[in-house]
Amino acid sequence: MERKADDMKQFALDSMPSFVERISGSEDFEKFKTKATKYGLPMMLVFSENRLVMNEMKYLSTEFRRRVLVAHISLSKKENRNIFFEYGVRGQALISAAPHTGDGEEKQSLVTFDGKWNLHRLRSFFTEHALKTEVKSQPKPDETKKKEEVPPEKQKVKTEL
């Protein structure tokens, strides 16, 4: 690669951090939905015909990290065709889905992005459907017990001068 503007731009775009989860099959998609349910995060499902993740989605997945989960589902993988049929998607689409609660309301809470695919409109769609605050990971029960239990030797206060 030479030091030309196009090459340097391509390098920078390829090096962008990305929190987009690539789905390859129904098994990966079930894991993704389980993760969304566990943390109570809405899902953004990006359906596309090619395997490349859009740079805009890389940016938005980083910007809205821990407020929304982003999945890239490619039609070029045969395993993903069932997911396309399940959501009734043909071609490229972006769907926002609330986390699955287990009572069958998932299909009713789907919102499809139908505007022009530019960064400003995609960002406003993400802002509208993402959580307002980040989800913090909950500490494990063992860690909270360790913090509460302080050995008696450390609780003593020295009174000597």
Side-chain angles (χ1 to χ4, degrees):
M1 204 162 30
E2 297 179 28
R3 289 188 173 229
K4 294 186 177 178
D6 290 337
D7 293 336
M8 291 175 22
K9 175 186 169 190
Q10 190 61 39
F11 175 77
L13 292 175
D14 291 342
S15 301
M16 281 177 64
S18 174
F19 296 100
V20 177
E21 296 189 29
R22 294 173 191 239
I23 305 296
S24 56
S26 300
E27 198 172 287
D28 281 352
F29 190 59
E30 289 301 320
K31 287 179 186 177
F32 179 76
K33 289 198 296 189
T34 304
K35 185 177 180 181
T37 304
K38 179 181 176 184
Y39 292 104
L41 292 169
M43 301 181 292
M44 293 288 180
L45 308 175
V46 181
F47 294 92
S48 77
E49 295 176 353
N50 59 9
R51 292 182 181 207
L52 297 176
V53 177
M54 293 174 40
N55 294 321
E56 290 85 355
M57 290 302 152
K58 288 182 183 181
Y59 165 73
L60 291 168
S61 70
T62 305
E63 186 73 21
F64 290 92
R65 186 175 180 209
R66 295 188 178 127
R67 295 193 291 162
V68 69
L69 283 177
V70 182
H72 180 260
I73 304 166
S74 174
L75 182 62
S76 62
K77 293 197 173 230
K78 293 177 184 176
E79 301 89 17
N80 291 340
R81 293 187 184 196
N82 292 336
I83 302 170
F84 272 76
F85 292 132
E86 179 183 340
Y87 286 92
V89 175
R90 294 181 186 159
Q92 183 174 349
L94 173 63
I95 295 177
S96 171
H100 185 59
T101 57
D103 54 358
E105 294 180 15
E106 182 180 6
K107 295 285 185 198
Q108 297 173 355
S109 62
L110 298 177
V111 178
T112 305
F113 176 76
D114 56 355
K116 185 178 176 184
W117 284 62
N118 63 27
L119 184 60
H120 178 69
R121 290 183 178 165
L122 288 170
R123 184 180 170 105
S124 64
F125 184 76
F126 269 68
T127 303
E128 182 180 339
H129 297 286
L131 298 178
K132 302 300 178 207
T133 59
E134 290 184 0
V135 173
K136 305 289 182 189
S137 61
Q138 299 173 354
K140 296 178 182 175
D142 297 336
E143 293 175 5
T144 55
K145 289 180 182 177
K146 289 179 183 177
K147 289 180 181 178
E148 293 173 4
E149 295 175 9
V150 179
E153 301 89 35
K154 292 186 179 181
Q155 290 180 354
K156 294 180 183 178
V157 179
K158 292 184 179 181
T159 56
E160 297 177 11
L161 294 176

